[in-house]
């Protein structure tokens, strides 16, 4: 029962991280397009961001979908929609959008990171770890990706690797959830 409580706390922590990161990770589309297409697609994307900021996720997804109908090669909009699907718990839809974003921009660290969260939320920790690792290869200063990779290793019962990632996240200034740390201490039989 204690493990279930830790998992619920970790799931809640991941959702909180998603919502906080939402504001830091969204930006406007910058792909070169014709002036009219660019303006229309950017307007839909911006409206989607505005809806997402207000917690109106269904409306945001609709706006992102309209932007993609105009410009289906915009990795940022696929990322935005995938991120929103992740917040809604629609992980398969999110993964599909992140796959497309990464097809269009293979160096998109944030897409790897949040796709990793979607995989972890489905219990697919091997794929999550692969994605967090790829995100960290591109952006080695992403403390949250280290934390999330540490959580994935925890669920795989690879506690040494979990501690390594937690310590790296902390060294980058990230505050690890104390409940998770307690669970990791108990599961690993060590203090740090």
């Amino acid at each position: 029962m204690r493990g279930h409580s830790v998992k619920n706390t970790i799931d809640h922590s991941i959702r909180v991280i998603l919502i906080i990161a939402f504001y830091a990770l969204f930006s406007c589309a910058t792909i070169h397009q014709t002036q009219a297409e660019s303006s229309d697609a950017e307007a839909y994307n911006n409206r989607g961001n505005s809806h997402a900021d207000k917690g109106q996720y269904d409306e945001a997804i609709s706006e992102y979908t309209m932007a993609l109908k105009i410009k289906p090669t915009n990795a940022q909009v696929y990322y935005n929609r995938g991120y929103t699907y992740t917040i809604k718990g629609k992980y398969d839809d999110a993964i599909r959008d992140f796959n497309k974003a990464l097809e269009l921009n293979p160096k998109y660290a944030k897409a790897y990171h949040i796709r990793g969260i979607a995989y972890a939320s489905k219990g697919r920790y091997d794929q999550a770890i692969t994605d967090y690792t790829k995100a960290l290869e591109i952006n080695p200063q992403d403390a949250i990706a280290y934390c999330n990779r540490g959580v994935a290793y925890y669920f795989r019962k690879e506690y040494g690797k979990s501690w390594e990632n937690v310590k790296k996240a902390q060294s980058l200034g990230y505050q690890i959830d104390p409940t998770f740390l307690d669970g990791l201490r108990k599961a690993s039989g060590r203090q740090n």
Side-chain angles (χ1 to χ4, degrees):
M1 189 63 159
R2 176 88 175 135
H4 184 67
S5 174
V6 170
K7 182 175 181 347
N8 287 342
T9 301
I10 292 168
D11 288 346
H12 175 73
S13 295
I14 289 171
R15 284 203 183 269
V16 169
I17 289 167
L18 280 171
I19 291 168
I20 291 169
F22 180 86
Y23 300 104
L25 298 177
F26 273 35
S27 64
C28 297
T30 58
I31 296 176
H32 298 293
Q33 306 166 14
T34 66
Q35 196 64 27
E37 285 178 336
S38 176
S39 178
D40 290 346
E42 186 173 331
Y44 281 114
N45 184 54
N46 289 340
R47 282 196 297 270
N49 290 344
S50 178
H51 283 299
D53 287 346
K54 297 173 190 169
Q56 300 166 341
Y57 302 122
D58 291 332
E59 293 85 349
I61 289 167
S62 293
E63 297 290 344
Y64 297 138
T65 300
M66 291 303 297
L68 290 168
K69 286 180 182 177
I70 295 167
K71 190 63 177 171
T73 58
N74 190 322
Q76 179 69 48
V77 180
Y78 278 106
Y79 169 83
N80 291 351
R81 190 173 70 177
Y83 195 98
T84 305
Y85 278 134
T86 303
I87 291 171
K88 285 185 56 75
K90 294 186 169 193
Y91 304 119
D92 291 331
D93 292 331
I95 291 166
R96 185 185 63 245
D97 276 356
F98 293 130
N99 290 344
K100 187 63 176 178
L102 290 164
E103 176 187 314
L104 295 166
N105 180 0
K107 297 290 185 186
Y108 205 154
K110 294 182 291 187
Y112 283 110
H113 183 168
I114 307 304
R115 186 176 72 179
I117 291 172
Y119 280 133
S121 297
K122 290 175 59 77
R124 294 166 60 182
Y125 301 114
D126 291 343
Q127 290 168 299
I129 289 167
T130 298
D131 275 355
Y132 297 142
T133 300
K134 185 65 177 173
L136 290 164
E137 288 170 4
I138 298 166
N139 179 12
Q141 298 303 306
D142 187 348
I144 299 171
Y146 281 108
C147 176
N148 289 340
R149 190 168 68 175
V151 170
Y153 277 124
Y154 170 87
F155 282 112
R156 283 185 32 183
K157 299 183 183 193
E158 294 183 48
Y159 304 122
K161 290 180 180 180
S162 183
W163 276 114
E164 288 172 25
N165 282 272
V166 163
K167 287 180 181 182
K168 182 62 177 178
Q170 289 173 320
S171 76
L172 291 170
Y174 188 72
Q175 182 79 22
I176 306 297
D177 182 299
T179 305
F180 173 72
L181 286 175
D182 287 343
L184 181 55
R185 285 184 187 106
K186 288 176 183 164
S188 68
R190 58 188 254 203
Q191 290 303 304
N192 59 25

